[in-house]
Amino acid sequence: MSTNIPQDLRYSNEHEWVRTDGDSVVTVGVTAFAAESLGDVVFVQLPEAGSNVTAGEVCGEIESTKSVSELYSPVTGEVVELNESVVDSPETVNSDPYDAGWLFKVRTESVPDLLDAEAYAALIQEG
């Protein structure tokens, strides 16, 4: 499994990552560990732009050749943008999970206390 865990991101226990973009907007994606565990991603269902998501609640799904997994929002707020290229080319989640493979952006009042890279590395090593 990949050990390349970007230091500038925060991570959920459900293997989503959050990048703070400024202006109360964060970008959300799934980690390389999650993408590798899923296998070849073939379909991504994301929350609709303008909808509200709640931290810890299901907001979409990711389907791979192995299984279907629920997508949990790591933050609470309004979805302001979707990565349409991932919807059209879901394999991007596997090939570039931390950049081109981002999933959606949320305007949020606050980012919950998520794991840093070191704590996330410990989580996936336990698993």
Side-chain angles (χ1 to χ4, degrees):
M1 291 288 167
S2 174
T3 56
N4 178 23
I5 301 172
Q7 297 291 312
D8 63 324
L9 305 178
R10 292 294 173 255
Y11 303 89
S12 74
N13 290 327
E14 290 80 26
H15 308 288
E16 285 86 22
W17 58 259
V18 173
R19 177 182 291 123
T20 303
D21 297 333
D23 294 334
S24 303
V25 174
V26 298
T27 301
V28 176
V30 296
T31 66
F33 177 83
E36 290 170 14
S37 297
L38 284 166
D40 295 332
V41 175
V42 296
F43 176 76
V44 177
Q45 178 190 359
L46 301 175
E48 293 183 23
S51 67
N52 291 314
V53 293
T54 302
E57 292 190 6
V58 174
C59 64
E61 65 181 31
I62 298 178
E63 185 176 332
S64 72
T65 54
K66 291 182 183 177
S67 66
V68 176
S69 296
E70 294 180 324
L71 177 63
Y72 294 88
S73 180
V75 296
T76 297
E78 178 188 357
V79 177
V80 295
E81 185 180 347
L82 304 179
N83 185 349
E84 295 293 344
S85 67
V86 164
V87 173
D88 295 337
S89 301
E91 66 275 4
T92 308
V93 171
N94 295 109
S95 63
D96 196 5
Y98 297 114
D99 288 310
W102 65 273
L103 300 177
F104 58 95
K105 295 187 179 192
V106 176
R107 180 171 291 111
T108 184
E109 297 292 318
S110 65
V111 177
D113 188 21
L114 298 170
L115 304 172
D116 63 15
E118 184 178 328
Y120 184 70
L123 173 76
I124 62 176
Q125 291 200 334
E126 291 170 8

